[in-house]
Structures are given as C-alpha cells and as structure tokens.
C-alpha cells in the first residue's frame, strides 16, 4: 500500500472553527504535517495550488481569505527538514512554460536528493487567466493537448543532460512550444521527477495512461474504485506500459474513534462543522446559481429553478446539470424530511473511511487487495494536526499486518513507489 498526505489548506474538507485549527500560511504548519507523514513512513507530501482567489457572489470565497502560498517554494523549504518523504507540487500546465518549470522541479529534486514530484493540472478558466499576461485561457478541448506536449517537453529538457554529467543543446518544435537552447540544471537524482495527474474524466485517464506515474482520483465505493482501476490499468498497454508503472491513489478522508460507533459520532460532528449554516447557503448558491441569502438554511430547499450558466461563482467549476442536481436534492429532502443544510450535509463530500483504527486499517487494505486502488492520498480536515491520529493509531496496524512498510527501503520517491528510474533518451 502507498500512502500520501495532502495538506488541507483551502480544501473543502477544511474546518476552521475547530480550536485546534492553525495557520495555512506559517511554515510551522507545513512542517508539522510533513514531519508527521514522514514519521508514518508515507510515500509523499502533496500540496495543491490556486492561481487566483476564488470568488462567490462578488466576494472572496471563505476558504481563500488567507491566501494560497506557492507550492514549490514551500516544498524547497520542507526538503531541509525532512529526509525521505517525497515532495509533490501541483503546478498548472496552462499558465506556465516548460523551460522555467522544468528548472524549478529539477532544482527541487536536487535539493531533496531525489524526492520531487509534479502534479500536472490544467485550466480552461478565463477568470484565472486574467491573472496572467496572456489574459486568456485554453478551450477545454485543448487543455490536455498542451499538457501532454508540456510534459513531453519537460522530459526532453531533463534528458538534455547525459547520465555522465555532460550537457547538450536541446531543440523542441511543436504546436504548443518552439524552444531551443541549453538546460541549466544537471540530470537530477531521479532522472525525471515523478509525474502525477489529477483527473477522473476520460481525457484525464488517457493522459495519465500515456504520461503519468500516479493518478490522483476520487471514488466513493469499492465497486466504483474497482471499475476505475480496471479501466485505467487497461489503457497502459497501448503506450507500451506495464500495470505497475502507474499508481492509482484516490484522495480519501478518514475519521477514527475508539469504537465504530464513536467514529460515526465524530464524523457527524465534523460534517456539521464543515457545512455550517453559512456554508450550506453558499453551496446551494453554487447549484442554483443565484443569491439565496433570504432563505433559511434550516428551512426547506429553495422553491425556485436554478439559473443555467450562472457566474455567481468564479474560479470554481460547477459540476453537472443544475436542474438534475436540484431534482435529486428535492427528492432526497422530501423522502427524508431534510432541511437545506441537512440536504447539503447528506449530498456533498463526506468521510471515506469511518471506524475504529482496526476497522479503518481493514477497509483500506481491502481496497488495495481487491484492486480498487494502489494506495491513498489522505486529506485531513484540520491544519496541521489532522494526520496525527491516523499515523499514531492506524499506521501501526497496517505495518503489523504487512500491508504497509515499517521502514523506508530507499531514499528517492521513485524507490518508495517501486518505479524505475526513467531510461535516458539521448
């Protein structure tokens, strides 16, 4: 089993109201979570990225009010206070350039002695594009076209230094990039930093099969996980790749207690914190596409139709047909007698694994044994101590059963993941 830690930061699972919650900006928060992950022998530490503060109804989204620090800067600092833990940065392939990003990633790989990873994301968001000189964005159909050439170009740059430590000029000519020159950073300890792809869409799966070492996904049930796992692994052969060359690691949340019943009570309280009355209205406004501040979150669902193609939310993707979502919400609320807030709690993100440490360890192991995942990226709800309980109580059980390592056996992220060093392409 592979395990990674996602820094909660501005994730929608974050709970700021908990008195144990601390800063998402101060270095001590990043250091605490990273040291905890390394103490638990995790494969890597994972940072998300936000290139613009999200807005809702003309105001900055609550989860973004304290900002989003730049991922690679934080990880370079963490390289100095960790020894084995992989360091994964989310960096957008739409609003960056291959030469500069390849240098930054290769530098992190050198400074960390071979622990760097790049989570490749794309954007079709004109709102985010306003922050950049081009002021534009890519059509959704072009996002992965650029990303695929971006990754390929970065790998050409990393390969422009020979394994013997000598460099050679590079030239790349393609639809997205035409560059030439000499790369300034020698071949790094891993050859290429590990590449992660985040996405569940068909085009995302295909891109991961062709170019990624890890796919960061999400699925709520064992059966959904098995279906996803089989689909993505089956795509690898077309690119001459073996099944083990791509690790499937869904993002998950975990809530434990001394007993399964206590864990369920803890999970319910966390959900109430995550979906405050204010957040219930905000979430509903994203679905309805209009101002719902006049509605009572503890009252019935709004009795109006959603507004299609609304721009009430900027920087966040609206998922699915709002009319279909509203219809499902209304049917659920009527069947169970739920208020608006209760409906949001019932239908939005919830904890993936809930139970005693033994129950959680067994369920995680079952997902891997039954080929629904190769491992997990844990997304805690607290900054920075949200991983402590899992490392202290669940990891030892996974180690005792042989499902997870007791010690690191290598020093690079590729060695943790069982991935070979890329063959140099001269």
């Amino acid at each position: 089993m592979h395990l990674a830690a996602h820094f909660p930061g501005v994730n929608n699972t974050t709970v700021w109201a908990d008195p144990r919650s601390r800063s998402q900006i101060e270095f001590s928060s990043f250091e605490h979570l990273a040291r905890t992950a390394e103490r638990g022998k995790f494969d890597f530490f994972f940072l998300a990225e936000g290139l613009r503060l999200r807005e809702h109804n003309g105001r900055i989204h609550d989860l973004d009010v304290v900002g989003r620090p730049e991922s690679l800067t934080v990880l370079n600092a963490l390289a100095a206070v960790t020894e084995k833990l992989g360091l994964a940065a989310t960096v957008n392939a739409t609003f960056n350039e291959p030469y500069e990003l390849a240098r930054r990633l290769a530098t992190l790989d050198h400074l960390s002695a071979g622990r760097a990873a790049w989570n490749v994301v794309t954007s079709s968001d004109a709102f985010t594009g306003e922050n950049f000189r081009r002021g534009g964005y890519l059509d959704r159909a072009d996002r992965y076209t650029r990303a695929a050439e971006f990754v390929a170009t970065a790998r050409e740059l990393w390969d422009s230094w020979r394994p013997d430590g000598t460099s050679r000029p590079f030239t790349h000519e393609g639809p997205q990039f035409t560059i030439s020159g000499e790369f300034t950073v020698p071949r790094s300890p891993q050859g290429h930093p590990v590449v992660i792809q985040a996405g569940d869409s068909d085009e995302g799966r295909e891109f991961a099969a062709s170019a990624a070492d890890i796919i960061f996904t999400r699925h709520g049930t064992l059966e959904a996980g098995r279906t996803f796992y089989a689909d993505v692994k089956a795509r690898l052969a077309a690119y001459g790749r073996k099944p083990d060359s791509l690790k499937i690691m869904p993002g998950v949340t975990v809530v434990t207690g001394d007993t399964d019943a206590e864990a369920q009570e803890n999970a319910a309280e966390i959900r109430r914190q995550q979906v405050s009355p204010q957040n219930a209205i905000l979430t509903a406004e994203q679905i309805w596409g209009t101002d719902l501040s006049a509605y009572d979150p503890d009252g019935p669902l709004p009795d109006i139709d959603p507004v299609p193609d609304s721009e009430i939310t900027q920087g966040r993707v609206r998922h699915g047909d709002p009319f279909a979502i509203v219809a499902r919400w209304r049917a659920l609320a009527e069947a169970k007698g739920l208020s608006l807030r209760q409906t949001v709690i019932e239908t939005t993100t919830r904890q993936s694994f809930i139970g005693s440490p033994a129950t959680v360890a067994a369920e995680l192991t079952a997902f891997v044994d039954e080929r629904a995942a190769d491992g997990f990226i844990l997304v805690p709800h607290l900054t920075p101590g949200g991983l402590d309980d899992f490392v202290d109580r669940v990891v030892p059980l996974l180690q005792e059963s042989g499902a997870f390592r007791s010690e690191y056996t290598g020093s690079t992220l590729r060695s943790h993941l069982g991935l070979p060093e890329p063959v140099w392409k001269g």
Side-chain angles (χ1 to χ4, degrees), residues 195-386:
V195 172
I196 305 169
Q197 154 64 14
D200 292 327
S201 67
D202 185 74
E203 57 188 356
R205 298 181 193 198
E206 199 66 28
F207 177 51
S210 67
D213 301 304
I214 300 169
I215 183 166
F216 177 33
T217 180
R218 59 182 179 184
H219 38 254
T221 66
L222 178 64
E223 191 54 41
R226 293 180 65 186
T227 300
F228 181 91
Y229 189 98
D231 176 70
V232 172
K233 295 284 187 175
R235 297 173 187 244
L236 293 166
Y239 300 97
R241 304 182 65 190
K242 296 180 179 179
D244 278 350
S245 66
L246 176 65
K247 307 300 181 182
I248 297 176
M249 298 183 67
V252 300
T253 54
V254 173
V255 179
T256 60
D258 290 340
T259 65
D260 290 351
E262 182 181 272
Q264 291 290 344
E265 291 176 2
N266 292 342
E269 176 56 29
I270 291 169
R271 290 298 294 143
R272 285 190 291 270
Q273 290 180 307
Q274 290 169 331
V275 185
S276 65
Q278 179 183 358
N279 283 342
I281 292 294
L282 184 149
T283 301
E285 286 178 342
Q286 293 173 1
I287 303 299
W288 266 265
T290 190
D291 187 338
L292 300 176
S293 58
Y295 286 83
D296 180 1
D298 294 316
L301 271 63
D303 54 0
I304 59 176
D305 289 334
V307 178
D309 302 320
S310 167
E311 295 185 356
I312 191 172
T313 296
Q314 297 278 8
R316 291 178 66 92
V317 177
R318 294 180 71 187
H319 295 284
D321 175 7
F323 290 92
I325 295 172
V326 167
R328 288 198 301 270
W329 281 25
R330 285 176 174 157
L332 178 66
E334 182 177 355
K336 294 189 174 183
L338 304 178
S339 67
L340 171 58
R341 184 185 178 197
Q342 290 169 332
T343 302
V344 174
I345 290 173
E346 186 81 10
T347 57
T348 56
T349 303
R350 62 183 60 234
Q351 289 76 23
S352 310
F353 296 93
I354 304 170
S356 68
T359 295
V360 169
E363 290 181 352
L364 292 171
T365 302
F367 261 68
V368 175
D369 288 346
E370 298 190 34
R371 302 196 177 196
D374 293 310
F376 307 93
I377 298 176
L378 273 70
V379 186
H381 70 282
L382 284 180
T383 306

Side-chain angles (χ1 to χ4, degrees), residues 17 41 57 130-131 160 217 298 326 352 378 393 414:
K41 313 303 178 186
N57 209 11
E130 291 174 357
N131 268 357
S160 67
T217 180
D298 294 316
V326 167
S352 310
L378 273 70
R393 305 182 71 191
R414 287 188 176 275

Side-chain angles (χ1 to χ4, degrees), residues 90-105:
T90 301
V91 187
N92 197 299
T94 305
F95 298 115
N96 283 281
E97 297 297 326
Y99 182 81
E100 177 58 21
L101 182 53
R103 291 178 69 241
R104 291 160 61 199
L105 288 164

Side-chain angles (χ1 to χ4, degrees), residues 4-6 43-48 75 86-93 105 115-122 144 147 151 155 158 192-199 204 207-209 211-217 241 245-251 377 413-414 417 419:
H6 186 289
D43 293 65
F44 61 92
F45 175 91
F46 181 66
L47 281 179
L75 295 178
L87 303 168
T90 301
V91 187
N92 197 299
L105 288 164
R115 296 184 280 138
W118 170 25
N119 178 38
V120 184
V121 294
T122 63
Y144 284 109
V151 173
R155 285 173 168 155
W158 293 326
H192 301 168
V194 169
V195 172
I196 305 169
Q197 154 64 14
F207 177 51
D213 301 304
I214 300 169
I215 183 166
F216 177 33
T217 180
R241 304 182 65 190
S245 66
L246 176 65
K247 307 300 181 182
I248 297 176
M249 298 183 67
I377 298 176
L413 178 53
R414 287 188 176 275
L417 294 166
L419 297 172

